[in-house]
Amino acid sequence: MSNDPIIRIKDLHKSFGPVEVLKGIDMDVAPGQIVALIGPSGSGKSTLLRTINQLEDVTSGEIFFDGALVNRDLPHRQREKHLNRLRQDIGMVFQHFNLFPHLTAIENVTMAPVLLGRQTKTQALAEARALLEKVGLSDRADYYPSRLSGGQKQRVAIARALAMNPKAMLFDEVTSALDPELVGEVNKVMKQLAQEHMTMIIVTHELRFASDVADHVVFMADGVVVEEGPPDALFRAPQHERTKAFLQQVFEG
Amino acid sequence: MGLDFSILAGYEGVLVQGAIWTVGLTVASIVLSLVIGTLMAVFRLSGMRIVRWPVSFVIWLFMGTPLLLQLYLIYFGLVQIGLDLNAFTAGVIALSLHFAVYDADIIRAGIVAVDKGQYEAARSLGLSHAQAMRKSIVPQALYNVAPALGNMMIALLKESSLVSVIGVMELTLSAQRAISDTFRPFEFYLAAAVIYYVLNLVLEQAVKAVERRSAKYR
Amino acid sequence: MDFALIAKVWTFFAAAAWVTLQISALAICLGLCLGFAAALASISRNVLLRFPARVYVSIFRGTPALIQLFLLYYGGPQIGLQLGPFEAGVIGLGINIGAYMTESIRGAILAVEKGQMEAARCLGLGHVQSMRNVILPQALRLMVRPLGVNAVALIKGSAIVSTISVVELTYTAHRYISSTYKPFEMFILASLFYLVIVSVVSFAVNRIDERVALES
């Protein structure tokens, strides 16, 4: 196993119209590493996450995934093909779950692997059952999303992403839309993934969870990385005023 | 027989005259339909069954039947009861009634949607039920449903072409007259279509402008 | 009310109602085909698809259906298009309602949450696969009601084909009004048939909508 970073971001810039939201980001993520992205809202952390699988295109800079340049300049059709292939290896979980409401929990999980020819229907069903069991939802396999709680939906969404057997997982504020009592069950699943050495980038507001699960924390503000390091160092002894102010605000507020 | 648009040359006057009548017909029917529609909406919400039920029945009947059929009923029916109105008046009445029914439905929904507190506030200021409706509730409701009413007006312009069948000399019938002279249906119907399209664009812009203004007061 | 007259002529109205039903059903089918094609074209990235779709909707919603029908039926022969009244009626009504259906279908597709497309694409599905398996199944459920409104409007609007002498309900009512001078009786009789057809269609649309609606 090489120690080359699986995700490498170089001098990334991104503007929405006249507003520059990412102002030159550099970041490396090693295989098996768990990175927490923290920072005030509007700092650009969600946008950064979404550029990695090109839900947002970038203005300039480079993103590499598993050695391949993600934001290759290609004609539309080839670019789509290239991205479809890459995205199969990058799982993503959203704040608002985005489960497919017309499909049951297990159909949500099996759809992509079957459509993309990764697995036969039978294989996919067996795999999906195992995944739903892993996230603690074997008894909800045939429920439609409307019958599931927020925490259950999010766990199905994680199982859905895992069904593609991704090389890395991106989590975009996945517990922000949940009632407080449902946060724990989702965090537990993520911790379990961390123990299995899944490569993860987690955008989160929950600093305690970040310090528990991450082995590297990146603090962003105003489109730049202000400070990064192991959670102990960053949370106990922040070097920058911005970081100190943010941590103080969050822990007191 | 090919197409020859130079044939239109002698008939600009006829078409323009027809377009003017279409505009007049449309404007008169829009105004009248809004008045009747508002009254119907208020009656339909009224506590008095004697007015609520007949109005609800007429609304149901007219919503389920074609304008063209209603047009024949009104044109021939009025003659039957001894009212020999000219075709234009009959056309305006038919178009107004037809669209009033839809307007009434829209306005009624708008009135119901106005906050109950508004009505109570008006009553607590000493206004009677009728005054509260007239001064406070109905105007607010009309503002709220302006976009939906605007769509009705745009539909009315196009549907006004139907009154050509009872002999109103509007745009469609004017085109037909020119065609019976020249035997050139394609050219003249296409010319009429272009004029309708332009009138429709103008009306759409007007409706949008009103919507923007009404949105400001919300 | 002249009930004896109604009793005498109602079978003619029933036969005419059958024609109204046929012409409406065929026009609705044509409209749905055109509507789906134009709606998909109008949200395409390709301007060569998008532009004609927008033009189609704009022209056929911007001019009276009656003029479109006359242009097709009376003007058609001038450009080599000879159609009988029934065929012209189906095609004219179908193309017209198709423009309105395009907007209903397009609206339903655009009403599906943006996150659904993102989630599908993140799993590695292509645009077409995502459309077919994620967006359209949801949009189909959302478009039942607006398309039902279009269908009911078409059934009533089909009365205009009486002007090109298709012997349907309104044509029959008009003919009996002119020959019997009983406008109210004839109106009520024709209305009954329209109301039955429209009520049945509305009821069916509501049932379908309830059946397929997604809980939120």
Side-chain angles (χ1 to χ4, degrees):
Chain A
M1 195 164 127
S2 78
N3 267 332
D4 288 343
I6 184 159
I7 297 169
R8 160 163 280 179
I9 296 171
K10 281 165 115 179
D11 195 26
L12 191 72
H13 290 258
K14 164 76 182 169
S15 301
F16 289 110
V19 186
E20 190 171 39
V21 289
L22 297 177
K23 303 169 182 166
I25 305 280
D26 292 285
M27 187 191 277
D28 278 353
V29 179
Q33 198 175 24
I34 291 131
V35 176
L37 265 179
I38 61 169
S41 29
S43 57
K45 53 193 194 303
S46 276
T47 308
L48 175 63
L49 195 75
R50 289 163 60 87
T51 58
I52 294 172
N53 60 7
Q54 290 286 285
L55 281 183
E56 305 285 354
D57 53 8
V58 302
T59 312
S60 69
E62 288 172 323
I63 302 160
F64 293 93
F65 183 81
D66 206 14
L69 181 59
V70 173
N71 57 327
R72 271 167 77 188
D73 195 16
L74 291 168
H76 177 71
R77 204 170 280 260
Q78 280 159 270
R79 187 183 128 88
E80 290 276 289
K81 263 191 178 163
H82 160 73
L83 287 180
N84 290 344
R85 212 171 308 120
L86 267 170
R87 283 168 176 161
Q88 295 183 27
D89 290 336
I90 311 175
M92 174 127 187
V93 186
F94 300 86
Q95 181 178 359
H96 294 288
F97 331 124
N98 297 352
L99 284 186
F100 306 132
H102 60 298
L103 302 177
T104 60
I106 196 158
E107 287 168 345
N108 263 278
V109 180
T110 56
M111 186 184 82
V114 173
L115 276 177
L116 294 167
R118 284 272 188 105
Q119 291 165 347
T120 65
K121 186 107 198 178
T122 329
Q123 288 171 326
L125 277 172
E127 176 81 359
R129 279 206 192 89
L131 283 168
L132 285 176
E133 184 168 357
K134 180 173 178 170
V135 299
L137 288 172
S138 358
D139 56 335
R140 294 288 186 272
D142 297 319
Y143 281 48
Y144 282 93
S146 57
R147 292 291 168 87
L148 299 175
S149 73
Q152 292 170 334
K153 282 184 201 171
Q154 199 58 296
R155 286 184 282 154
V156 173
I158 293 172
R160 178 176 71 177
L162 290 173
M164 290 302 294
N165 205 7
K167 292 178 182 158
M169 291 278 284
L170 311 177
F171 294 87
D172 190 3
E173 299 192 22
V174 294
T175 54
S176 299
L178 295 179
D179 292 334
E181 72 272 20
L182 302 177
V183 170
E185 60 192 66
V186 175
N187 282 348
K188 199 177 125 201
V189 171
M190 290 166 71
K191 267 187 196 153
Q192 193 185 334
L193 283 178
Q195 279 155 14
E196 295 165 9
H197 303 293
M198 170 64 82
T199 309
M200 296 157 78
I201 303 184
I202 304 166
V203 169
T204 184
H205 286 301
E206 286 182 87
L207 302 190
R208 197 166 304 280
F209 177 67
S211 85
D212 275 3
V213 76
D215 39 43
H216 190 76
V217 179
V218 176
F219 172 66
M220 281 180 71
D222 293 328
V224 294
V225 172
V226 176
E227 185 168 355
E228 57 185 312
D232 276 353
L234 194 120
F235 287 122
R236 297 254 168 78
Q239 301 297 307
H240 288 259
E241 283 309 313
R242 270 314 290 266
T243 322
K244 284 179 196 160
F246 174 73
L247 292 176
Q248 201 169 17
Q249 209 176 1
V250 172
F251 283 123
E252 283 173 10
Chain B
M1 192 156 77
L3 299 180
D4 175 14
F5 286 95
S6 65
I7 193 83
L8 297 173
Y11 292 89
E12 312 93 338
V14 177
L15 291 176
V16 169
Q17 195 76 27
I20 291 171
W21 279 105
T22 285
V23 171
L25 185 66
T26 303
V27 171
S29 305
I30 284 175
V31 172
L32 196 56
S33 70
L34 284 177
V35 173
I36 302 172
T38 308
L39 289 176
M40 278 180 163
V42 173
F43 283 148
R44 207 177 165 189
L45 287 168
S46 137
M48 287 184 294
R49 275 178 221 154
I50 197 153
V51 293
R52 197 173 67 206
W53 284 358
V55 168
S56 298
F57 176 73
V58 169
I59 288 180
W60 175 75
L61 187 64
F62 269 48
M63 277 193 141
T65 53
L67 170 59
L68 196 54
L69 190 63
Q70 294 159 15
L71 196 58
Y72 291 136
L73 170 74
I74 286 161
Y75 186 58
F76 294 103
L78 290 175
V79 177
Q80 192 77 5
I81 57 172
L83 270 174
D84 198 359
L85 298 172
N86 63 33
F88 183 84
T89 314
V92 169
I93 293 173
L95 280 173
S96 311
L97 275 179
H98 179 80
F99 280 92
V101 163
Y102 290 92
D103 290 353
D105 221 40
I106 293 167
I107 295 167
R108 187 180 73 111
I111 291 175
V112 173
V114 172
D115 185 21
K116 207 171 134 222
Q118 292 285 326
Y119 177 78
E120 284 163 1
R123 289 308 293 272
S124 72
L125 290 171
L127 272 66
S128 71
H129 168 78
Q131 281 172 323
M133 286 301 265
R134 203 164 59 230
K135 300 278 183 210
S136 170
I137 308 300
V138 172
Q140 287 189 56
L142 287 177
Y143 269 127
N144 290 339
V145 297
L149 291 177
N151 285 341
M152 283 297 128
M153 296 175 192
I154 291 165
L156 193 150
L157 168 67
K158 285 171 279 178
E159 298 285 287
S160 75
S161 62
L162 290 188
V163 302
S164 61
V165 301
I166 59 168
V168 180
M169 246 323 208
E170 44 63 81
L171 184 50
T172 303
L173 192 55
S174 302
Q176 271 165 17
R177 287 292 153 86
I179 290 163
S180 56
D181 266 13
T182 58
F183 304 104
R184 289 287 185 171
F186 195 93
E187 288 86 342
F188 281 98
Y189 284 133
L190 192 62
V194 170
I195 298 173
Y196 273 117
Y197 188 78
V198 171
L199 292 177
N200 188 62
L201 275 185
V202 172
L203 184 57
E204 270 179 5
Q205 291 310 313
V207 165
K208 271 187 198 150
V210 173
E211 272 169 30
R212 271 196 299 273
R213 282 190 56 177
S214 77
K216 240 192 303 187
Y217 290 110
R218 230 169 285 162
Chain C
M1 242 350 174
D2 187 343
F3 288 107
L5 177 66
I6 291 179
K8 211 167 75 185
V9 299
W10 81 271
T11 49
F12 295 104
F13 280 74
W18 176 236
V19 177
T20 288
L21 208 54
Q22 282 175 304
I23 213 163
S24 301
L26 290 171
I28 287 168
C29 291
L30 177 59
L32 283 172
C33 296
L34 289 170
F36 270 102
L40 290 175
S42 75
I43 56 169
S44 150
R45 296 171 47 92
N46 187 343
V47 70
L48 290 177
L49 292 172
R50 210 165 57 218
F51 184 70
R54 301 307 299 158
V55 170
Y56 162 58
V57 170
S58 172
I59 288 178
F60 285 90
R61 292 180 74 207
T63 56
L66 188 66
I67 291 281
Q68 294 162 22
L69 187 66
F70 285 170
L71 196 53
L72 179 68
Y73 182 65
Y74 296 113
Q78 273 177 273
I79 53 168
L81 202 63
Q82 294 270 7
L83 292 170
F86 188 88
E87 293 79 42
V90 168
I91 294 170
L93 291 174
I95 294 178
N96 177 261
I97 205 67
Y100 291 88
M101 287 176 159
T102 303
E103 292 296 85
S104 301
I105 294 165
R106 181 182 139 88
I109 294 173
L110 296 181
V112 176
E113 271 179 62
K114 193 168 146 263
Q116 292 291 312
M117 183 53 106
E118 287 189 349
R121 298 306 303 271
C122 279
L123 291 166
L125 301 189
H127 182 79
V128 174
Q129 277 178 319
S130 308
M131 263 311 210
R132 196 167 49 218
N133 296 287
V134 175
I135 306 299
L136 285 180
Q138 296 180 55
L140 279 173
R141 292 164 159 90
L142 295 174
M143 66 182 74
V144 171
R145 204 167 277 276
L147 287 177
V149 170
N150 293 146
V152 166
L154 178 109
I155 292 165
K156 290 181 282 176
S158 72
I160 63 171
V161 301
S162 65
T163 60
I164 58 170
S165 55
V166 176
V167 186
E168 45 68 87
L169 261 176
T170 297
Y171 182 93
T172 306
H174 184 208
R175 197 174 63 195
Y176 280 103
I177 288 172
S178 319
S179 61
T180 62
Y181 298 102
K182 300 277 187 193
F184 291 103
E185 284 83 349
M186 296 305 113
F187 173 77
I188 292 295
L189 190 50
S191 296
L192 278 178
F193 285 102
Y194 277 115
L195 286 167
V196 167
I197 297 173
V198 165
S199 304
V200 168
V201 171
S202 302
F203 178 78
V205 167
N206 283 340
R207 287 302 299 271
I208 295 170
D209 184 61
E210 279 164 23
R211 182 71 63 84
V212 301
L214 291 169
E215 291 174 47
S216 54

